[in-house]
């Protein structure tokens, strides 16, 4: 087996899980937030900086790497770890979500999906077999089945068919997988907001006895309350001895709520994407650094943060950099946002170990200014 | 006195100077290349990275900082060193060159220059007094007199008048300077390619007994042979016990030739600017990393370089990053180019100490593919 999941502790107050996920590239303490490195780079960061922040795994995108530089070059480089100079764990998604969300034109058939490159317009084809072939070439520690991610909202009949197709495609992924000894293939539970479809999807995928399971089709525009409800009835259907991954979630409140509902792994572009726009994540809520109110603010981004950025730079300086489109500005906001989220996860793990995650949540919310209703 | 220049050794083979320039923010080994941090940041670099490369001084731009964030904010932050978190030496130029080269509209009068912001179009005024007032607020260790930099080519009569004006403005700068105890004001010798005007400019400025002198008005489009000729008759006119600064020069060959002609200090945007375009400086010449020939090149940028980038990343990966507009690509090419130039200066200093700078030059040229005729 490529990975081994060790359940270390269950929080007596919340039921949240503390674990250790053993991979061919090191151990991951769960619950974990995985920074997203779409194109074989977590935008604006070096691997050393990610390590300094305690990142143990990053996510990279099959769809994007398929378009450039192409899986052959990555394989010839010795695989994705060597290509991007990252010797810790990597997870690659299957490309399914991007094919559905980025392509200007797509046609879904049983065999696979025909789509156009969002870069060149070239017509391309992705199938379960192709997604696994690419991911085998990239060589990540955890790879994802090629699924059909229904949008929100979506009709029951549409979601029902996509659930059935996702199961058939998952079986084809298992059959096509050539590196089960060093790459763990996760299944993705779909079913939208329909409880019976989530149950069907989970049941059919659990039958495949995969080394881990993701909950997909959430954080696609639905209100957070809806996402939490789906998690509440879906997560218990997944095997307790395997890692559970909630895709596309990265806001602090959704991370905490996801962990409370039994999730072990998360990924999201949120911290890095908003950073490039000058939005900073803090213990008091988000902060738009371009605002004139920070022009002469010589304090740190987050007074409760002890990261490199908060120890060395002022809001006034970072505001100046972001307004002037300086790369250092983006570096500093990105670094801080990742530090903030990775530190939050470390605090969550500590709270689980000490059986006080609900207390932690209440204390966090008391300080944190909520802003967004929909999931992210 | 704000600074003290210590002449350590003169190369017996070339006449080049090895020195130590003592400033309120540390000692600078000369000859030195100063990375340019236009807007209070050397683009894409942190202060720690600059230190790791051995940078002892950076240059920042009065014109740009005047427009944003404005000298008041920098002064309130505790000065430029604290604002940008750089505790080593800083030199600020006077803004003269930018007023002449960037402004869409400018009117030069004896009192000063009326110009428009290249950002907002706002009409602004810069004078010797204003340039010094701003530089006093910024607080750099070395500040520059406000001069009139004639273009190339320029008629004799035009240059003659700009030389006379530059002297008058230099006197006004001296009179306006309020921090001579911790900021050294350098004069700038003008005179274009006219030997008698260079002699006049040098003579008049040396009379002011300033702590250092720059040669300005070069590297503005003239052939390198012309620049070297001007240096040959201008540098000997400057006091031997004070540092000599050639403005705007950063190509490897021009650095070597400048040092041989008695220059101690250089600055240039070249290494950082071309890096953002994917051009890499190597011991064999420039390399355009976007070229298809590097798509599967898994060697380092420069096989003779031992910098962080060359130890950890391949041409294929950096090409991928630059083609995908990834910030890490710019970080890596910028870091390498600065490492290359700062290492070149360290090798030049070693060759001076060992009285073999001409041998070093010949060996460097034997490997280096020249590409550009004009100065830079």
């Amino acid at each position: 087996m490529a990975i081994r999941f060790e359940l270390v502790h269950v929080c007596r107050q919340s039921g949240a899980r503390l674990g250790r996920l053993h991979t061919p590239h090191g151990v991951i303490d769960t619950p974990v937030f995985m920074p997203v490195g779409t194109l074989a780079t977590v935008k604006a960061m070096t691997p050393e900086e990610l390590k300094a922040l305690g990142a143990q795994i990053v996510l990279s995108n099959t769809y994007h790497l398929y378009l450039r530089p192409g899986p052959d070059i990555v394989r010839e480089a010795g695989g994705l770890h060597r290509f991007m100079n990252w010797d810790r764990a990597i997870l690659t998604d299957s490309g399914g979500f991007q094919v559905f969300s980025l392509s200007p034109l797509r046609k879904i058939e049983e065999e696979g999906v025909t789509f156009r490159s969002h870069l060149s317009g070239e017509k391309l084809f992705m199938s379960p077999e192709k997604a696994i072939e690419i991911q085998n070439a990239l060589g990540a520690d955890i790879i994802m089945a090629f699924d059909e991610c229904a949008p929100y909202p979506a009709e029951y009949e549409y979601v029902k068919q996509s659930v059935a197709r996702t199961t058939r495609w998952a079986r084809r992924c298992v059959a096509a997988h050539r590196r089960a000894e060093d790459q763990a293939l996760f299944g993705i539970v779909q079913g939208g907001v329909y409880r019976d479809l989530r149950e069907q999807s989970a049941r059919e995928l659990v039958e495949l006895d995969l080394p881990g399971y993701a909950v997909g089709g959430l954080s696609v525009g639905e209100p957070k309350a809806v996402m939490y409800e789906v998690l509440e009835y879906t997560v218990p259907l997944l095997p307790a001895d395997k890692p559970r991954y909630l895709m596309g979630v990265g806001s602090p409140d959704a991370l905490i709520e996801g962990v409370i509902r039994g999730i072990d792994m998360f990924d999201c572009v949120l911290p890095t994407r908003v950073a490039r726009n000058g939005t900073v994540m803090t213990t008091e809520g988000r902060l738009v650094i371009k605002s004139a109110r920070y022009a002469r603010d010589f304090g740190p981004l987050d007074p409760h943060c002890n990261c490199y950025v908060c120890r060395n730079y002022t809001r006034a300086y970072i505001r100046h950099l972001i307004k002037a489109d300086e790369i250092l500005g983006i570096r500093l906001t990105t670094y801080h946002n990742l530090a903030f989220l990775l530190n939050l996860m470390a605090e969550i793990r500590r709270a689980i170990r000490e059986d006080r995650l609900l207390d932690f949540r209440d204390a966090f919310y008391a300080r944190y200014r909520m802003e967004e209703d929909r999931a992210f």
Side-chain angles (χ1 to χ4, degrees), chain A:
Chain A
M1 288 289 280
I3 62 165
R4 182 169 61 84
F5 183 65
E6 182 189 347
L7 190 57
V8 173
H9 183 71
V10 175
C11 175
R12 289 189 203 104
Q13 191 180 58
S14 66
R17 296 142 55 95
L18 188 74
R20 286 166 62 82
L21 182 58
H22 300 261
T23 80
H25 289 87
V27 175
I28 299 158
D29 295 303
T30 64
V32 64
F33 176 78
M34 304 183 282
V36 176
T38 304
L39 276 159
T41 165
V42 175
K43 289 190 193 303
M45 299 284 289
T46 62
E48 289 76 14
E49 288 164 351
L50 290 167
K51 288 183 183 179
L53 293 179
Q56 296 171 315
I57 178 170
V58 299
L59 180 146
S60 201
N61 290 89
T62 293
Y63 168 86
H64 290 281
L65 294 174
Y66 173 52
L67 298 189
R68 49 186 184 178
D72 287 353
I73 286 178
V74 176
R75 191 186 55 234
E76 287 172 37
L80 190 52
H81 294 84
R82 285 192 55 188
F83 185 61
M84 65 186 285
N85 189 35
W86 173 254
D87 58 9
R88 296 190 180 177
I90 301 176
L91 181 151
T92 46
D93 70 1
S94 65
F97 182 77
Q98 282 75 28
V99 163
F100 296 119
S101 63
L102 288 181
S103 175
L105 183 144
R106 58 182 167 73
K107 194 168 139 204
I108 307 170
E109 294 167 303
E110 186 61 21
E111 178 57 22
V113 184
T114 305
F115 65 100
R116 287 194 184 278
S117 160
H118 75 288
L119 297 171
S120 66
E122 187 188 359
K123 200 185 249 190
L124 298 166
F125 180 73
M126 186 71 83
S127 65
E129 290 77 13
K130 180 90 182 176
I132 296 299
E133 181 192 337
I134 297 170
Q135 292 186 87
N136 282 170
L138 298 176
D141 303 271
I142 300 173
I143 67 178
M144 303 302 295
F146 188 71
D147 61 330
E148 185 185 346
C149 179
Y152 176 86
E155 295 295 325
Y156 182 86
E157 276 307 314
Y158 179 94
V159 178
K160 184 177 169 66
Q161 289 186 23
S162 78
V163 160
R165 176 131 55 202
T166 292
T167 297
R168 292 193 298 274
W169 282 1
R171 293 189 189 116
R172 285 167 56 190
C173 286
V174 171
H177 188 21
R178 294 285 168 272
R179 294 179 58 176
E181 74 288 356
D182 68 342
Q183 293 188 288
L185 172 61
F186 279 26
I188 304 176
V189 175
Q190 292 291 348
V193 297
Y194 304 106
R195 182 165 185 164
D196 64 320
L197 297 182
R198 287 282 174 186
E199 288 170 350
Q200 176 193 336
S201 183
R203 187 176 62 248
E204 291 174 353
L205 293 174
V206 169
E207 277 173 14
L208 297 178
D209 192 26
L210 296 169
Y213 291 93
V215 182
L218 292 178
S219 197
V220 292
E222 78 284 3
K224 280 181 176 168
V226 171
M227 176 171 84
Y228 300 151
E229 189 193 345
V230 173
L231 288 177
E232 276 157 23
Y233 57 66
T234 303
V235 174
L237 307 171
L238 303 175
D241 60 346
K242 292 178 177 174
R244 304 152 171 179
Y245 164 26
L246 176 56
M247 305 180 85
V249 163
S251 71
D253 49 327
L255 291 171
I256 296 171
E257 299 295 340
V259 168
I260 288 172
R261 286 159 180 81
I263 297 294
D264 308 301
M265 304 166 68
F266 303 85
D267 82 285
C268 196
V269 295
L270 177 71
T272 46
R273 180 171 292 167
V274 302
R276 294 196 298 283
N277 219 3
T279 296
V280 176
M281 303 173 81
T282 83
T283 43
E284 292 168 1
R286 294 194 201 172
L287 176 159
V288 177
I289 199 66
K290 278 187 186 175
S291 163
R293 85 173 75 162
Y294 305 119
R296 288 156 198 272
D297 185 336
F298 301 112
L301 289 180
D302 183 347
H304 303 101
C305 179
N306 192 36
C307 83
Y308 161 75
V309 178
C310 289
R311 286 198 315 274
N312 290 290
Y313 301 92
T314 62
R315 290 174 172 179
Y317 180 61
I318 294 169
R319 173 180 188 269
H320 159 67
L321 294 177
I322 292 284
K323 281 182 66 77
D325 287 326
E326 284 288 348
I327 286 175
L328 182 59
I330 291 173
R331 287 186 58 181
L332 298 181
T333 52
T334 300
Y335 189 103
H336 167 81
N337 282 359
L338 286 175
F340 175 79
L341 276 197
L342 291 168
N343 183 54
L344 173 64
M345 296 310 290
E347 289 181 352
I348 287 173
R349 290 194 297 271
R350 205 171 305 127
I352 295 172
R353 186 182 296 276
E354 296 169 3
D355 299 309
R356 54 171 180 80
L357 184 58
L358 298 183
D359 296 344
F360 173 83
R361 174 184 64 179
D362 294 345
F364 184 87
Y365 287 173
R367 195 151 74 178
Y368 189 76
R369 190 178 62 250
M370 298 280 188
E371 274 157 305
E372 308 271 322
D373 187 45
R374 58 181 188 78
F376 205 83

